[in-house]
Amino acid sequence: RTRGGRAGSTIVYRLTASGSYNAFQRSTLAGGDRVETFRHGLRATVDWRPTEKDLVQLTGTYSGGGPTPQGYAPKRMGLNAGYQRKIRSDLLFVATVSDLFDSGASRNYTVSPSLTGVSITRMQGRLFSLGFTRALGGRQAADGQFTYEVGP
């Protein structure tokens, strides 16, 4: 479900919430019991247009933790930032930072009567991207659209 609105004439915000119900049988390594769980997530985006040609965007994400077939996964959070400058109607300068606080490590914990462990998956980490976007064929450039490379 997505909600949004405006704060003044230069700020637009959106909040998206999602959830899923999961039911699974844990592996015998983790006790073999049946688990039912509800996982949730949030995504918040704020767009600020200080001028007609400039756009600054912040996108925060949250993923609630929960049980997994082998143990559990803790919650994850991240923040991406982008800047866009319209040079011409068909040409944009774009700068983005993915995973601004370098929080891209994913941890999963294995818990059982005979084994306890942690698995850490390291994403690419904080990525900086600079570039130009040009629309071909007389079209206008896709103003206000950012692509972040990584993030939770």
Side-chain angles (χ1 to χ4, degrees):
R1 182 158 189 120
T2 300
R3 296 280 187 201
R6 298 184 82 73
S9 62
T10 61
I11 296 175
V12 175
Y13 60 90
R14 290 175 301 286
L15 180 63
T16 303
S18 62
S20 65
Y21 169 79
N22 300 296
F24 53 86
Q25 186 77 29
R26 284 193 194 257
S27 68
T28 54
L29 180 67
D33 56 331
R34 180 170 168 76
V35 175
E36 296 183 35
T37 183
F38 180 78
R39 307 253 337 231
H40 58 284
L42 296 172
R43 177 181 205 91
T45 301
V46 176
D47 292 342
W48 174 47
R49 287 196 178 272
T51 71
E52 187 177 303
K53 294 184 177 193
D54 296 295
L55 171 66
V56 177
Q57 183 182 83
L58 292 175
T59 300
T61 58
Y62 168 83
S63 177
T68 66
Q70 294 80 27
Y72 69 95
K75 64 184 176 187
R76 294 182 63 207
M77 293 182 278
L79 183 65
N80 299 321
Y83 170 74
Q84 194 176 80
R85 171 80 178 172
K86 185 182 283 190
I87 297 169
R88 297 190 316 238
S89 65
D90 66 340
L91 182 64
L92 302 173
F93 168 74
V94 180
T96 62
V97 180
S98 299
D99 196 13
L100 190 63
F101 298 121
D102 198 18
S103 59
S106 172
R107 292 174 177 80
N108 288 301
Y109 295 91
T110 302
V111 180
S112 76
S114 60
L115 175 68
T116 301
V118 62
S119 168
I120 300 174
T121 304
R122 185 82 188 130
M123 306 300 179
Q124 294 173 324
R126 188 180 306 125
L127 290 178
F128 298 93
S129 175
L130 297 173
F132 292 90
T133 300
R134 181 159 188 233
L136 301 176
R139 291 191 242 162
Q140 296 224 350
D143 187 24
Q145 297 179 8
F146 289 94
T147 301
Y148 299 106
E149 297 301 320
V150 296

